[in-house]
Amino acid sequence: MRIIKLKKDNLFPFLEIISEEADLWAPVKKGDKHAFTIIDDLSKIELETTRTIIPPKKIFTPPTFSMFSISDKGYKEDFSHITKKILFGIHPCDIHGLLTLDSFFKQAYLDPYYLEARKNTLILGLSCWPDEYCFAKSTHTHVIEEGFDLFFTDLKDFFLVWIGSSQGDDLIRLKPELFDEGLKDQDIQTYINWQAERDNAYKWNIKFIALPDLMELKYRDPLWEKLGDACLACGSCSNVCPTCNCYNIMDKQFLGGKDGKIIRHWDACTLEEYSEVAGGENFRKKRSDRLKLWYTHKLQAYISKYGKPSCVGCGRCIATCPVDINVRTVGQALLGEKPDAFWARFNKEVTK
Amino acid sequence: MNGENKQLTISNPFLPEPARIVRTYYLTEDVKFFQVRVVDMDKALSFKYCPGQFAMISVVGAGEAPFSISSTPSRPGLLEFCIRKVGGVTNALFRMKENDLIGIRGPYGNGFPVERMRDKDILIVVGGLGTAPLRSVLLYCLDNRDQFRRVSLLHGAKRPSEMIFREEFFALKEREDLECHLAVDGDDTGTWTENIGVVTTLFPKLKEIDPSSTYALVCGPPVMYKFVIKEFVKLNIPKDQILMTLERRMKCGVGKCGHCAIDYIYTCLDGPVFTYWDVIHMRELI
Amino acid sequence: MTKNNNNKLKIGIYELTGCAGDALLILDCEKELVDIFQAADIQSFLMAKSDNIDGELDIALVEGSVSTEKEKKEILDIRKRAKTVVAIGICACFGGIQAAFLDEKEWEANFKEVYGNIKMKHTKPVQSKPIDEYIKVDYYLPGCPIDKEQFLSTLNRILRGNPPELYRFSVCVECKWNENDCLLNKDIPCLGPITRAGCGSICINHNLPCVGCWGPVEEANIASEFQLLREKGFDHDFIKKKMANFSGTGMADFFGKLKGEKG
């Protein structure tokens, strides 16, 4: 893969030029956190961010969107959420998340709503620095070899830019003079040092390789009841997870002969209604059973099927779950440690 | 650029195909029979399915739900369903009349492994609405009678009035190439001439079987599986020749929405037909 | 208009004890009001018209809680006349603010404090309760007030004979869809996890914690939310007041159990 150099000062001029080609999306501040947003003012782009509140999956399958408009004449496909986009500032773990979603949405039947949006979006990755929640090194998703059109590694004074696709190359060609083809030995050394330092910056680590078996061995462990007692069933772990893809459908009807809509919205297996069948029977009435399904999918199933977990180590569940049910504390508990977590302290008997 | 009118390069698996209700009538107080035909003739004929597969049926404004196909692919063109009134979509379907339009897409799921079942003995055990998917495989076996060895049917219903396809099954009793035993849990009419008792009480009536070359199929209410499977195992039928179809909440039918997930399999792709061997290894299956 | 009303479904909109905010919201559907009147035969709607008929109904939309003997009779009468009864708004669904007293004694004490020993002549006040304490309710459309889009979509579905399709999960789900940072994680007492969605997480979108005005979600884990807030330093009475404020009788059971806990 070709790697070139971009001076720090040249980044915004470059983004300016490419933003004329398509809608530019990038992380901006939202409260104390960050969110991917359509950019109308380049100065709002945040370069030194950790995770956004929700992952970039929202750009490809928005939390709610219309699949069809329906009238007496029947169904009309609605692809209005698909526009040409350039997504800048996406970190390696999130690119891995998209690759996982890709294989899922291509499996058996192609999902046009996701795949078309994907085809219309260029991915401009950006390196990052781990905080106390990140554990992408444990999932080996802190490095990325595919799944981007361009990838920018931020080396303080300059970026190294990986050209991952022909479309990425086309973007460079819009103004090649902003880039520098000749890398000096010193630049390369800077990159080597940065990489070593970054790898050492991960503050914690989890042994994923042990977890599929432990999920099996501890499937009936009282741990799950404890987690189920504390779980708020708020669905946030799924909503913030870069690889969660479940959805539900709603038939929206309007008065006065207006066309109805088939709405597709994000769903979560931790929600009560999720496993209910027609007639009201529920196969996973208990929150503990639903959490088992979630963790089976993250820690066991995907590893058995594809040889890697469907967790990408982004740390969003850790940063989000109010009662500390997340890959870190559940992983620790499966490995026999006693995690410092609200759910571990929670005693439902106290209120009886 | 707005994508609303964009032509897609891939087809949309979520787009229902208009279909017309050809016939509909009550099978029992709360179960209705629907015979439908896909409006587009080419698509009607290319709707190739296998017994045990299901289709998604939609009613504009009410929603979409999965239903087992009750007809047999050996009689192409028309699709048949037995539907119980349980929720929004089925309520809307029950209000519909002959000639009304519904949406249909499919077929989905794995269906029964009819290729593997060839030249084997077939034992079908059904209870209540479990008849819906197994009628497909039963009729398929009877239409291709020379491809299968012995075919037996054990059928259970709660009461005579809750037996679906009553006339059809009584007519089957007359066939000499089918061993057919019917039972009801209780007879409140005083006119039932067949067996009384749960479906498992029919097992002793079965002629001796050759377990290693028997495929045993079961579908019925959740409580039934445990007891029927026990009987199959007693008969020494190999675990991977015991087949069952399981109900889960298929919402999309194409392995995307996640609702029918059990562990890491999707009922709509890997099921709804599972062997008993699968079930033993799937923690949540029954 | 009346001559075309023969095959339209007959609807009555009723207000019991409440702020009439839901009826007002229906009136406020300016653009859609004509559609509503065209789609249904509005037999009774006190806020909108004076020629109201109290006859047989296909659908009764009832706002407000039952808080007098007179309203008890009224709600029983509505049930008798209507094929389908829909509770609209938090007061009809869960009792609302006026039902936020957790037991009979507390209610009596509060009543005395506000009204003294006044004798009520036209009707006898009773402890405020959601309408399903007295009648069977077919559908619930919570909200304070109800959401316009959800109301129109629900009404449409019922008019077509389909059950309403409402979110059955908590505010947190919509809150994450709106990419809000969790307020609980910033130690702000937010009731999102135990409150039914449908509002579009409007308060949290404006950086204000959820007050629970859509009532408890079906599977509300009140115990966990309670202990979480206790850990964050809020005392028993504060949490109780906050939770009971809108949920009416919805959380009384929980706080009944909680009596042993020191505040």
PDB file of all heavy atoms in Angstrom, chain A residues 77 79 107 109 119 247 267 273-274 276 283-284 297 301, chain B residues 8-9 12 248-249 251 256 258-259 261 263-264 283-284:
ATOM      1  N   GLU A  77     -39.815   1.758  -2.581  1.00  0.00           N
ATOM      2  CA  GLU A  77     -38.564   1.762  -1.825  1.00  0.00           C
ATOM      3  C   GLU A  77     -38.122   3.184  -1.507  1.00  0.00           C
ATOM      4  O   GLU A  77     -38.250   4.082  -2.335  1.00  0.00           O
ATOM      5  CB  GLU A  77     -37.464   1.076  -2.649  1.00  0.00           C
ATOM      6  CG  GLU A  77     -37.668  -0.418  -2.802  1.00  0.00           C
ATOM      7  CD  GLU A  77     -36.779  -0.989  -3.883  1.00  0.00           C
ATOM      8  OE1 GLU A  77     -36.957  -0.586  -5.052  1.00  0.00           O
ATOM      9  OE2 GLU A  77     -35.917  -1.820  -3.565  1.00  0.00           O
ATOM     10  N   PHE A  79     -34.856   5.199  -0.297  1.00  0.00           N
ATOM     11  CA  PHE A  79     -33.422   5.175   0.003  1.00  0.00           C
ATOM     12  C   PHE A  79     -32.918   6.580   0.340  1.00  0.00           C
ATOM     13  O   PHE A  79     -31.779   6.920   0.079  1.00  0.00           O
ATOM     14  CB  PHE A  79     -32.632   4.587  -1.168  1.00  0.00           C
ATOM     15  CG  PHE A  79     -32.872   3.113  -1.346  1.00  0.00           C
ATOM     16  CD1 PHE A  79     -33.668   2.644  -2.378  1.00  0.00           C
ATOM     17  CD2 PHE A  79     -32.311   2.208  -0.470  1.00  0.00           C
ATOM     18  CE1 PHE A  79     -33.909   1.294  -2.528  1.00  0.00           C
ATOM     19  CE2 PHE A  79     -32.542   0.851  -0.612  1.00  0.00           C
ATOM     20  CZ  PHE A  79     -33.341   0.390  -1.644  1.00  0.00           C
ATOM     21  N   GLN A 107     -24.265 -11.529   4.505  1.00  0.00           N
ATOM     22  CA  GLN A 107     -24.477 -12.957   4.737  1.00  0.00           C
ATOM     23  C   GLN A 107     -25.846 -13.392   4.205  1.00  0.00           C
ATOM     24  O   GLN A 107     -26.861 -12.792   4.517  1.00  0.00           O
ATOM     25  CB  GLN A 107     -24.364 -13.197   6.246  1.00  0.00           C
ATOM     26  CG  GLN A 107     -25.021 -14.421   6.790  1.00  0.00           C
ATOM     27  CD  GLN A 107     -25.086 -14.366   8.304  1.00  0.00           C
ATOM     28  OE1 GLN A 107     -24.108 -14.569   8.974  1.00  0.00           O
ATOM     29  NE2 GLN A 107     -26.262 -14.089   8.861  1.00  0.00           N
ATOM     30  N   TYR A 109     -28.321 -13.007   2.415  1.00  0.00           N
ATOM     31  CA  TYR A 109     -29.036 -12.039   1.584  1.00  0.00           C
ATOM     32  C   TYR A 109     -28.343 -10.691   1.730  1.00  0.00           C
ATOM     33  O   TYR A 109     -27.886 -10.358   2.812  1.00  0.00           O
ATOM     34  CB  TYR A 109     -30.483 -11.891   2.041  1.00  0.00           C
ATOM     35  CG  TYR A 109     -31.309 -13.139   1.895  1.00  0.00           C
ATOM     36  CD1 TYR A 109     -31.301 -14.121   2.880  1.00  0.00           C
ATOM     37  CD2 TYR A 109     -32.117 -13.346   0.767  1.00  0.00           C
ATOM     38  CE1 TYR A 109     -32.066 -15.277   2.754  1.00  0.00           C
ATOM     39  CE2 TYR A 109     -32.881 -14.489   0.633  1.00  0.00           C
ATOM     40  CZ  TYR A 109     -32.845 -15.456   1.636  1.00  0.00           C
ATOM     41  OH  TYR A 109     -33.606 -16.586   1.500  1.00  0.00           O
ATOM     42  N   LYS A 119     -21.513   1.784   0.064  1.00  0.00           N
ATOM     43  CA  LYS A 119     -20.884   2.026  -1.236  1.00  0.00           C
ATOM     44  C   LYS A 119     -20.754   3.527  -1.534  1.00  0.00           C
ATOM     45  O   LYS A 119     -19.850   3.945  -2.237  1.00  0.00           O
ATOM     46  CB  LYS A 119     -21.759   1.383  -2.333  1.00  0.00           C
ATOM     47  CG  LYS A 119     -20.966   0.435  -3.221  1.00  0.00           C
ATOM     48  CD  LYS A 119     -21.703   0.080  -4.485  1.00  0.00           C
ATOM     49  CE  LYS A 119     -22.906  -0.808  -4.248  1.00  0.00           C
ATOM     50  NZ  LYS A 119     -23.668  -1.123  -5.444  1.00  0.00           N
ATOM     51  N   TYR A 247     -32.491  -4.924  14.460  1.00  0.00           N
ATOM     52  CA  TYR A 247     -33.450  -3.844  14.239  1.00  0.00           C
ATOM     53  C   TYR A 247     -34.865  -4.365  14.331  1.00  0.00           C
ATOM     54  O   TYR A 247     -35.103  -5.569  14.348  1.00  0.00           O
ATOM     55  CB  TYR A 247     -33.207  -3.164  12.887  1.00  0.00           C
ATOM     56  CG  TYR A 247     -33.499  -4.037  11.686  1.00  0.00           C
ATOM     57  CD1 TYR A 247     -34.796  -4.190  11.218  1.00  0.00           C
ATOM     58  CD2 TYR A 247     -32.475  -4.678  11.019  1.00  0.00           C
ATOM     59  CE1 TYR A 247     -35.070  -4.972  10.111  1.00  0.00           C
ATOM     60  CE2 TYR A 247     -32.733  -5.473   9.913  1.00  0.00           C
ATOM     61  CZ  TYR A 247     -34.033  -5.614   9.466  1.00  0.00           C
ATOM     62  OH  TYR A 247     -34.302  -6.398   8.373  1.00  0.00           O
ATOM     63  N   ASP A 267     -32.746  -2.014  17.353  1.00  0.00           N
ATOM     64  CA  ASP A 267     -33.340  -2.783  18.441  1.00  0.00           C
ATOM     65  C   ASP A 267     -32.192  -3.373  19.257  1.00  0.00           C
ATOM     66  O   ASP A 267     -31.030  -3.276  18.858  1.00  0.00           O
ATOM     67  CB  ASP A 267     -34.242  -3.879  17.869  1.00  0.00           C
ATOM     68  CG  ASP A 267     -35.275  -4.351  18.870  1.00  0.00           C
ATOM     69  OD1 ASP A 267     -35.210  -3.926  20.043  1.00  0.00           O
ATOM     70  OD2 ASP A 267     -36.158  -5.145  18.495  1.00  0.00           O
ATOM     71  N   GLU A 273     -39.082  -6.875  24.821  1.00  0.00           N
ATOM     72  CA  GLU A 273     -39.964  -7.217  23.707  1.00  0.00           C
ATOM     73  C   GLU A 273     -39.250  -8.027  22.624  1.00  0.00           C
ATOM     74  O   GLU A 273     -39.886  -8.698  21.810  1.00  0.00           O
ATOM     75  CB  GLU A 273     -40.500  -5.907  23.102  1.00  0.00           C
ATOM     76  CG  GLU A 273     -41.638  -6.077  22.132  1.00  0.00           C
ATOM     77  CD  GLU A 273     -41.836  -4.835  21.262  1.00  0.00           C
ATOM     78  OE1 GLU A 273     -41.158  -3.826  21.501  1.00  0.00           O
ATOM     79  OE2 GLU A 273     -42.656  -4.901  20.352  1.00  0.00           O
ATOM     80  N   TYR A 274     -37.925  -7.970  22.641  1.00  0.00           N
ATOM     81  CA  TYR A 274     -37.115  -8.507  21.551  1.00  0.00           C
ATOM     82  C   TYR A 274     -37.441  -9.954  21.186  1.00  0.00           C
ATOM     83  O   TYR A 274     -37.559 -10.301  20.023  1.00  0.00           O
ATOM     84  CB  TYR A 274     -35.638  -8.374  21.936  1.00  0.00           C
ATOM     85  CG  TYR A 274     -34.661  -8.834  20.905  1.00  0.00           C
ATOM     86  CD1 TYR A 274     -34.226  -7.978  19.907  1.00  0.00           C
ATOM     87  CD2 TYR A 274     -34.159 -10.132  20.916  1.00  0.00           C
ATOM     88  CE1 TYR A 274     -33.319  -8.396  18.962  1.00  0.00           C
ATOM     89  CE2 TYR A 274     -33.259 -10.553  19.971  1.00  0.00           C
ATOM     90  CZ  TYR A 274     -32.837  -9.689  18.993  1.00  0.00           C
ATOM     91  OH  TYR A 274     -31.941 -10.103  18.052  1.00  0.00           O
ATOM     92  N   GLU A 276     -40.098 -11.743  22.052  1.00  0.00           N
ATOM     93  CA  GLU A 276     -41.505 -12.097  22.172  1.00  0.00           C
ATOM     94  C   GLU A 276     -42.027 -12.563  20.814  1.00  0.00           C
ATOM     95  O   GLU A 276     -41.756 -11.936  19.801  1.00  0.00           O
ATOM     96  CB  GLU A 276     -42.281 -10.856  22.621  1.00  0.00           C
ATOM     97  CG  GLU A 276     -43.440 -11.146  23.519  1.00  0.00           C
ATOM     98  CD  GLU A 276     -44.074  -9.857  24.008  1.00  0.00           C
ATOM     99  OE1 GLU A 276     -44.841  -9.253  23.244  1.00  0.00           O
ATOM    100  OE2 GLU A 276     -43.780  -9.466  25.150  1.00  0.00           O
ATOM    101  N   PHE A 283     -39.424 -15.925  24.874  1.00  0.00           N
ATOM    102  CA  PHE A 283     -38.413 -16.946  25.097  1.00  0.00           C
ATOM    103  C   PHE A 283     -37.307 -16.465  26.024  1.00  0.00           C
ATOM    104  O   PHE A 283     -36.531 -17.258  26.519  1.00  0.00           O
ATOM    105  CB  PHE A 283     -37.805 -17.397  23.761  1.00  0.00           C
ATOM    106  CG  PHE A 283     -38.763 -18.213  22.951  1.00  0.00           C
ATOM    107  CD1 PHE A 283     -39.570 -17.630  21.992  1.00  0.00           C
ATOM    108  CD2 PHE A 283     -38.869 -19.573  23.170  1.00  0.00           C
ATOM    109  CE1 PHE A 283     -40.465 -18.391  21.259  1.00  0.00           C
ATOM    110  CE2 PHE A 283     -39.761 -20.331  22.448  1.00  0.00           C
ATOM    111  CZ  PHE A 283     -40.561 -19.742  21.479  1.00  0.00           C
ATOM    112  N   ARG A 284     -37.213 -15.171  26.221  1.00  0.00           N
ATOM    113  CA  ARG A 284     -36.181 -14.655  27.133  1.00  0.00           C
ATOM    114  C   ARG A 284     -36.791 -13.589  28.027  1.00  0.00           C
ATOM    115  O   ARG A 284     -36.468 -12.421  27.947  1.00  0.00           O
ATOM    116  CB  ARG A 284     -34.998 -14.076  26.353  1.00  0.00           C
ATOM    117  CG  ARG A 284     -34.268 -15.104  25.537  1.00  0.00           C
ATOM    118  CD  ARG A 284     -33.037 -14.540  24.870  1.00  0.00           C
ATOM    119  NE  ARG A 284     -32.602 -15.432  23.817  1.00  0.00           N
ATOM    120  CZ  ARG A 284     -32.957 -15.316  22.552  1.00  0.00           C
ATOM    121  NH1 ARG A 284     -33.748 -14.318  22.171  1.00  0.00           N
ATOM    122  NH2 ARG A 284     -32.529 -16.169  21.653  1.00  0.00           N
ATOM    123  N   HIS A 297     -23.012 -13.612  21.778  1.00  0.00           N
ATOM    124  CA  HIS A 297     -22.719 -13.051  20.459  1.00  0.00           C
ATOM    125  C   HIS A 297     -21.379 -12.328  20.432  1.00  0.00           C
ATOM    126  O   HIS A 297     -20.622 -12.443  19.485  1.00  0.00           O
ATOM    127  CB  HIS A 297     -23.844 -12.111  20.032  1.00  0.00           C
ATOM    128  CG  HIS A 297     -24.907 -12.819  19.272  1.00  0.00           C
ATOM    129  ND1 HIS A 297     -25.275 -12.472  17.997  1.00  0.00           N
ATOM    130  CD2 HIS A 297     -25.655 -13.893  19.596  1.00  0.00           C
ATOM    131  CE1 HIS A 297     -26.204 -13.305  17.584  1.00  0.00           C
ATOM    132  NE2 HIS A 297     -26.465 -14.165  18.536  1.00  0.00           N
ATOM    133  N   ALA A 301     -19.826 -16.552  19.996  1.00  0.00           N
ATOM    134  CA  ALA A 301     -20.345 -16.992  18.707  1.00  0.00           C
ATOM    135  C   ALA A 301     -19.461 -16.563  17.545  1.00  0.00           C
ATOM    136  O   ALA A 301     -19.063 -17.360  16.709  1.00  0.00           O
ATOM    137  CB  ALA A 301     -21.747 -16.443  18.523  1.00  0.00           C
TER     138      ALA A 301
ATOM    139  N   LEU B   8     -31.119   0.731  -7.643  1.00  0.00           N
ATOM    140  CA  LEU B   8     -30.152  -0.070  -6.930  1.00  0.00           C
ATOM    141  C   LEU B   8     -29.550  -1.123  -7.827  1.00  0.00           C
ATOM    142  O   LEU B   8     -30.173  -1.604  -8.752  1.00  0.00           O
ATOM    143  CB  LEU B   8     -30.821  -0.772  -5.753  1.00  0.00           C
ATOM    144  CG  LEU B   8     -31.164   0.128  -4.593  1.00  0.00           C
ATOM    145  CD1 LEU B   8     -31.645  -0.698  -3.444  1.00  0.00           C
ATOM    146  CD2 LEU B   8     -29.944   0.931  -4.167  1.00  0.00           C
ATOM    147  N   THR B   9     -28.307  -1.463  -7.510  1.00  0.00           N
ATOM    148  CA  THR B   9     -27.661  -2.519  -8.283  1.00  0.00           C
ATOM    149  C   THR B   9     -27.986  -3.893  -7.693  1.00  0.00           C
ATOM    150  O   THR B   9     -27.775  -4.902  -8.325  1.00  0.00           O
ATOM    151  CB  THR B   9     -26.137  -2.307  -8.283  1.00  0.00           C
ATOM    152  OG1 THR B   9     -25.737  -2.030  -6.941  1.00  0.00           O
ATOM    153  CG2 THR B   9     -25.753  -1.163  -9.173  1.00  0.00           C
ATOM    154  N   ASN B  12     -33.911  -5.909  -3.651  1.00  0.00           N
ATOM    155  CA  ASN B  12     -34.285  -5.622  -2.275  1.00  0.00           C
ATOM    156  C   ASN B  12     -35.022  -6.820  -1.670  1.00  0.00           C
ATOM    157  O   ASN B  12     -36.174  -7.070  -2.001  1.00  0.00           O
ATOM    158  CB  ASN B  12     -35.182  -4.383  -2.258  1.00  0.00           C
ATOM    159  CG  ASN B  12     -35.377  -3.845  -0.863  1.00  0.00           C
ATOM    160  OD1 ASN B  12     -35.278  -4.594   0.111  1.00  0.00           O
ATOM    161  ND2 ASN B  12     -35.654  -2.564  -0.759  1.00  0.00           N
ATOM    162  N   ARG B 248     -39.831 -19.099  16.235  1.00  0.00           N
ATOM    163  CA  ARG B 248     -39.169 -17.956  16.838  1.00  0.00           C
ATOM    164  C   ARG B 248     -39.725 -16.723  16.144  1.00  0.00           C
ATOM    165  O   ARG B 248     -40.497 -16.841  15.195  1.00  0.00           O
ATOM    166  CB  ARG B 248     -37.645 -18.011  16.666  1.00  0.00           C
ATOM    167  CG  ARG B 248     -36.940 -18.924  17.666  1.00  0.00           C
ATOM    168  CD  ARG B 248     -37.158 -18.476  19.098  1.00  0.00           C
ATOM    169  NE  ARG B 248     -36.388 -19.284  20.047  1.00  0.00           N
ATOM    170  CZ  ARG B 248     -36.806 -20.416  20.594  1.00  0.00           C
ATOM    171  NH1 ARG B 248     -37.984 -20.906  20.264  1.00  0.00           N
ATOM    172  NH2 ARG B 248     -36.054 -21.076  21.463  1.00  0.00           N
ATOM    173  N   ARG B 249     -39.288 -15.558  16.619  1.00  0.00           N
ATOM    174  CA  ARG B 249     -39.888 -14.358  16.075  1.00  0.00           C
ATOM    175  C   ARG B 249     -39.127 -13.893  14.839  1.00  0.00           C
ATOM    176  O   ARG B 249     -38.330 -12.967  14.884  1.00  0.00           O
ATOM    177  CB  ARG B 249     -39.870 -13.269  17.144  1.00  0.00           C
ATOM    178  CG  ARG B 249     -40.636 -12.045  16.745  1.00  0.00           C
ATOM    179  CD  ARG B 249     -40.341 -10.964  17.740  1.00  0.00           C
ATOM    180  NE  ARG B 249     -41.061  -9.750  17.446  1.00  0.00           N
ATOM    181  CZ  ARG B 249     -40.806  -8.613  18.036  1.00  0.00           C
ATOM    182  NH1 ARG B 249     -39.858  -8.543  18.936  1.00  0.00           N
ATOM    183  NH2 ARG B 249     -41.484  -7.540  17.724  1.00  0.00           N
ATOM    184  N   LYS B 251     -38.569 -11.747  11.984  1.00  0.00           N
ATOM    185  CA  LYS B 251     -39.125 -10.428  11.638  1.00  0.00           C
ATOM    186  C   LYS B 251     -38.717 -10.045  10.228  1.00  0.00           C
ATOM    187  O   LYS B 251     -39.400  -9.283   9.567  1.00  0.00           O
ATOM    188  CB  LYS B 251     -38.606  -9.383  12.632  1.00  0.00           C
ATOM    189  CG  LYS B 251     -39.560  -9.131  13.764  1.00  0.00           C
ATOM    190  CD  LYS B 251     -40.172  -7.740  13.656  1.00  0.00           C
ATOM    191  CE  LYS B 251     -41.530  -7.687  14.315  1.00  0.00           C
ATOM    192  NZ  LYS B 251     -42.176  -6.389  14.228  1.00  0.00           N
ATOM    193  N   LYS B 256     -31.192 -10.752   9.117  1.00  0.00           N
ATOM    194  CA  LYS B 256     -30.668  -9.411   9.351  1.00  0.00           C
ATOM    195  C   LYS B 256     -31.154  -8.792  10.662  1.00  0.00           C
ATOM    196  O   LYS B 256     -30.378  -8.136  11.348  1.00  0.00           O
ATOM    197  CB  LYS B 256     -31.089  -8.473   8.200  1.00  0.00           C
ATOM    198  CG  LYS B 256     -30.599  -8.903   6.840  1.00  0.00           C
ATOM    199  CD  LYS B 256     -29.092  -8.743   6.704  1.00  0.00           C
ATOM    200  CE  LYS B 256     -28.598  -9.281   5.383  1.00  0.00           C
ATOM    201  NZ  LYS B 256     -27.890 -10.561   5.517  1.00  0.00           N
ATOM    202  N   GLY B 258     -32.173 -10.052  13.515  1.00  0.00           N
ATOM    203  CA  GLY B 258     -31.657 -10.639  14.749  1.00  0.00           C
ATOM    204  C   GLY B 258     -32.685 -11.252  15.684  1.00  0.00           C
ATOM    205  O   GLY B 258     -32.313 -11.946  16.616  1.00  0.00           O
ATOM    206  N   HIS B 259     -33.968 -11.000  15.474  1.00  0.00           N
ATOM    207  CA  HIS B 259     -34.957 -11.427  16.465  1.00  0.00           C
ATOM    208  C   HIS B 259     -35.058 -12.929  16.656  1.00  0.00           C
ATOM    209  O   HIS B 259     -35.484 -13.384  17.699  1.00  0.00           O
ATOM    210  CB  HIS B 259     -36.329 -10.852  16.119  1.00  0.00           C
ATOM    211  CG  HIS B 259     -36.422  -9.405  16.449  1.00  0.00           C
ATOM    212  ND1 HIS B 259     -36.105  -8.427  15.550  1.00  0.00           N
ATOM    213  CD2 HIS B 259     -36.744  -8.781  17.604  1.00  0.00           C
ATOM    214  CE1 HIS B 259     -36.241  -7.257  16.137  1.00  0.00           C
ATOM    215  NE2 HIS B 259     -36.624  -7.439  17.374  1.00  0.00           N
ATOM    216  N   ALA B 261     -32.587 -15.017  16.616  1.00  0.00           N
ATOM    217  CA  ALA B 261     -31.285 -15.583  16.978  1.00  0.00           C
ATOM    218  C   ALA B 261     -31.399 -16.476  18.205  1.00  0.00           C
ATOM    219  O   ALA B 261     -32.084 -16.157  19.165  1.00  0.00           O
ATOM    220  CB  ALA B 261     -30.287 -14.467  17.252  1.00  0.00           C
ATOM    221  N   ASP B 263     -28.480 -18.456  20.460  1.00  0.00           N
ATOM    222  CA  ASP B 263     -27.022 -18.539  20.495  1.00  0.00           C
ATOM    223  C   ASP B 263     -26.481 -17.819  19.257  1.00  0.00           C
ATOM    224  O   ASP B 263     -26.740 -16.667  19.065  1.00  0.00           O
ATOM    225  CB  ASP B 263     -26.547 -19.981  20.547  1.00  0.00           C
ATOM    226  CG  ASP B 263     -26.605 -20.517  21.979  1.00  0.00           C
ATOM    227  OD1 ASP B 263     -27.032 -19.763  22.854  1.00  0.00           O
ATOM    228  OD2 ASP B 263     -26.212 -21.650  22.204  1.00  0.00           O
ATOM    229  N   TYR B 264     -25.771 -18.551  18.401  1.00  0.00           N
ATOM    230  CA  TYR B 264     -25.276 -17.834  17.233  1.00  0.00           C
ATOM    231  C   TYR B 264     -25.889 -18.321  15.929  1.00  0.00           C
ATOM    232  O   TYR B 264     -25.340 -18.128  14.864  1.00  0.00           O
ATOM    233  CB  TYR B 264     -23.753 -17.850  17.148  1.00  0.00           C
ATOM    234  CG  TYR B 264     -23.105 -19.153  17.500  1.00  0.00           C
ATOM    235  CD1 TYR B 264     -22.857 -20.100  16.523  1.00  0.00           C
ATOM    236  CD2 TYR B 264     -22.723 -19.414  18.809  1.00  0.00           C
ATOM    237  CE1 TYR B 264     -22.244 -21.290  16.852  1.00  0.00           C
ATOM    238  CE2 TYR B 264     -22.106 -20.598  19.146  1.00  0.00           C
ATOM    239  CZ  TYR B 264     -21.865 -21.541  18.162  1.00  0.00           C
ATOM    240  OH  TYR B 264     -21.258 -22.702  18.485  1.00  0.00           O
ATOM    241  N   ARG B 283     -28.156 -24.241  23.412  1.00  0.00           N
ATOM    242  CA  ARG B 283     -28.578 -24.099  24.794  1.00  0.00           C
ATOM    243  C   ARG B 283     -30.013 -23.615  24.934  1.00  0.00           C
ATOM    244  O   ARG B 283     -30.701 -23.944  25.868  1.00  0.00           O
ATOM    245  CB  ARG B 283     -27.636 -23.147  25.521  1.00  0.00           C
ATOM    246  CG  ARG B 283     -26.263 -23.747  25.679  1.00  0.00           C
ATOM    247  CD  ARG B 283     -25.299 -22.755  26.222  1.00  0.00           C
ATOM    248  NE  ARG B 283     -25.134 -21.630  25.335  1.00  0.00           N
ATOM    249  CZ  ARG B 283     -23.980 -20.987  25.177  1.00  0.00           C
ATOM    250  NH1 ARG B 283     -22.928 -21.350  25.851  1.00  0.00           N
ATOM    251  NH2 ARG B 283     -23.896 -19.976  24.356  1.00  0.00           N
ATOM    252  N   GLU B 284     -30.457 -22.809  23.999  1.00  0.00           N
ATOM    253  CA  GLU B 284     -31.746 -22.167  24.204  1.00  0.00           C
ATOM    254  C   GLU B 284     -32.870 -22.742  23.341  1.00  0.00           C
ATOM    255  O   GLU B 284     -33.965 -22.242  23.356  1.00  0.00           O
ATOM    256  CB  GLU B 284     -31.639 -20.684  23.841  1.00  0.00           C
ATOM    257  CG  GLU B 284     -30.824 -19.854  24.784  1.00  0.00           C
ATOM    258  CD  GLU B 284     -30.983 -18.378  24.441  1.00  0.00           C
ATOM    259  OE1 GLU B 284     -30.565 -18.000  23.345  1.00  0.00           O
ATOM    260  OE2 GLU B 284     -31.550 -17.641  25.246  1.00  0.00           O
TER     261      GLU B 284
END
